[in-house]
């Protein structure tokens, strides 16, 4: 009943907008800002999407709906030839707009099929189309580029990320802002889009990307092209084009979700465990967190000693080790927390890492090992001068984003919440949270609001102590 009424109201608004909009313009999508746009001249899109901690990441003035990535990679020369075609909608009149791209040479840019001029400055590629783009219109940008991708560096926690060449291909794990090391785009999780990949590699090399394969690989003249499609919205940092020698296994989870695992020959003995455990955990999380958000699950183990894993959408990537159940539980929990529900700004990263860490504890408890409560109590006993108490996890620092506090104290925050509101409300909160924001964006405030609404409790003091104070909660 409520749904139908809302539908009618929206339809009425749409029709009246059509009636008064000029014939060549789509109906306005939002506020009265359209009036001022009509009187002002077209503006340059902002070089950043508006994340105060990462002012250059992403871009303003448009929203990407789809990336079509065509990549040809030669492991022996480490050279990548790429053509990226982006479909986007303008959120303002645009005289020019930016894409994020680090290094690599740009050969040609077209907008709507017409050549556009472009300039480079740092990691910003500024595109000036031949004619201005009107707010509300959709447009297509095509960038032809090539070069030897250079990975990005994080000094605090993770080392190298982005496109990392390996002996037989590449290990591609781009969080937080490394997608610009291998394709031009709007490199911030506030702008998600669907992806198509066509990746060409020397015959014998395998190319793995997000989502599912569309058809069999085709080999022509000693080169094989693999095609993959992620048909649900995805943040750029979760996109991967991991290449190399791989053994693969595909099928479905016991509950029927398509499952695909891959392992470098050096980790051949990990393949069946990765496949089976990923299937079992995906099915369990679907019970605990709500329906699996994507069209397939799985994972990949590459022979690159990253020592960590990344939750690449549908295909977490494990770097140079045999993944145990705990890390598989972590990366698969991210498919809900981080991938389906994405953060709008990096300081809310505990919404990803705190939840995925808590999921490790829940998995252990489910398996009859250590309970979440026991994990919580153990960490709670860390001395008052321990580093996790100094770092408030609710405000992840740009120069120390992946601090242990964001993971551990973030997870503890959820356990403190569970103790305060009880198991029934806590687990229904998790499901309501994932349902309400499926494929969307979240903030810490929206989580606190929902927790208070579902529990009927005032929880500001709890969240303040656990997320925002530089000291151990009382
Ligand atoms: N999000 C990863 C995790 O599951 C950690 C991570 C952050 C990472 N950035 C990365 C891993 C880059 C690989 C590459 O905790
Ligand atoms: Zn994580």
């Amino acid at each position: 009943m409520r749904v139908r009424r809302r539908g009618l109201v929206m339809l009425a608004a749409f029709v009246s907008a059509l009636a008064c909009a000029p014939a060549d313009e789509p109906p306005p999508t939002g506020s009265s800002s359209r009036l001022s746009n009509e009187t002002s001249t077209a503006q340059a899109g902002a070089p950043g999407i508006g994340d105060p901690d990462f002012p250059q990441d992403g871009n303003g003035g448009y929203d990407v709906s789809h990336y079509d990535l065509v990549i040809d990679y030669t492991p022996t020369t480490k050279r990548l030839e790429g053509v990226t075609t982006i479909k986007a909608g303008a959120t303002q009149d645009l005289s020019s707009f930016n894409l994020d791209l680090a290094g690599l040479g740009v050969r040609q840019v077209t907008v709507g099929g017409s050549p556009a001029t472009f300039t480079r400055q740092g990691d910003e590629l500024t595109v000036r189309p031949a004619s201005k783009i009107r707010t509300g219109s959709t447009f297509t940008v095509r960038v032809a580029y090539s070069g030897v991708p250079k990975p990005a560096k994080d000094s605090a926690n993770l080392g190298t990320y982005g496109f990392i060449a390996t002996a037989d291909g590449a290990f591609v794990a781009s969080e937080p802002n490394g997608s610009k090391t291998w394709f031009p785009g709007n490199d911030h999780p506030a702008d998600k889009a669907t992806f198509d990949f066509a990746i060409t590699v020397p015959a014998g090399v395998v190319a793995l990307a997000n989502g599912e394969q569309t058809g069999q690989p085709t080999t022509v003249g000693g080169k094989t092209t693999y095609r993959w499609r992620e048909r649900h919205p995805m943040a750029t940092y979760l996109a991967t084009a991991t290449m190399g020698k791989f053994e693969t296994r595909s099928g479905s989870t016991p509950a029927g979700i398509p499952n695909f695992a891959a392992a470098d020959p050096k980790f051949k003995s990990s393949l069946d465990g990765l496949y089976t455990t990923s299937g079992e955990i995906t099915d369990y999380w679907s019970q605990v967190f709500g329906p699996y958000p994507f069209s397939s699950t799985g994972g990949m183990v590459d022979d690159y000693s990253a020592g960590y894993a990344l939750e690449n959408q549908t295909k977490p990537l494990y770097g140079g080790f045999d993944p145990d159940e705990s890390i598989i539980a972590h990366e698969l929990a991210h498919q809900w927390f981080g991938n389906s529900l994405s953060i709008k700004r990096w300081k809310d990263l505990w919404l990803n890492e705190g939840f995925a860490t808590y999921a490790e504890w829940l998995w252990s408890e489910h398996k009859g090992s250590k309970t979440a409560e026991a994990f919580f109590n153990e960490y709670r006993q860390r001395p008052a001068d321990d580093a996790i108490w100094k770092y408030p996890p609710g405000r992840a620092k740009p120069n120390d984003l992946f601090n242990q506090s964001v993971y551990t104290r973030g997870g503890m925050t959820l356990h403190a919440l569970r103790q305060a509101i009880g198991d029934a409300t806590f687990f229904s909160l998790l499901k309501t949270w994932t349902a309400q924001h499926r494929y969307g964006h979240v903030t810490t405030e929206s989580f606190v609001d929902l927790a208070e609404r579902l529990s009927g409790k005032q929880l500001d003091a709890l969240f303040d102590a656990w997320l925002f104070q530089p000291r151990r909660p009382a």
Side-chain angles (χ1 to χ4, degrees), residues 282-340:
T282 300
D283 287 350
Y284 181 63
W285 287 158
S286 304
Q287 302 290 315
V288 179
F289 304 144
Y292 184 66
F294 307 122
S295 305
S296 62
T297 186
M300 335 182 252
V301 186
D302 198 1
D303 179 19
Y304 168 74
S305 305
Y308 50 67
L310 183 67
E311 62 266 24
N312 291 326
Q313 194 152 307
T314 69
K315 276 181 204 66
L317 176 56
Y318 304 89
F321 58 93
D322 178 22
D324 62 13
E325 293 197 3
S326 177
I327 195 161
I328 294 172
H330 178 113
E331 306 309 332
L332 290 175
H334 275 308
Q335 305 307 311
W336 286 259
F337 308 109
N339 299 8
S340 173

Side-chain angles (χ1 to χ4, degrees), residues 133-148:
I133 300 165
R134 308 255 294 178
T135 183
S137 65
T138 58
F139 61 101
T140 300
V141 197
R142 182 183 179 277
V143 180
Y145 65 101
S146 60
V148 176

Side-chain angles (χ1 to χ4, degrees), residues 175 309-311 330-331 334 352-354 356-357 360 402 407:
E175 191 182 20
L310 183 67
E311 62 266 24
H330 178 113
E331 306 309 332
H334 275 308
N352 297 5
E353 301 305 346
T357 301
E360 296 175 33
F402 298 94
Y407 287 74

Side-chain angles (χ1 to χ4, degrees), residues 35-74:
L35 270 183
S36 54
N37 279 335
E38 280 179 341
T39 50
S40 69
T41 55
Q43 301 276 314
I49 205 167
D51 187 329
D53 293 326
F54 293 83
Q56 305 297 308
D57 285 9
N59 304 286
Y62 65 92
D63 193 86
V64 178
S65 60
H66 187 73
Y67 290 92
D68 185 81
L69 305 186
V70 176
I71 282 166
D72 185 316
Y73 186 68
T74 308

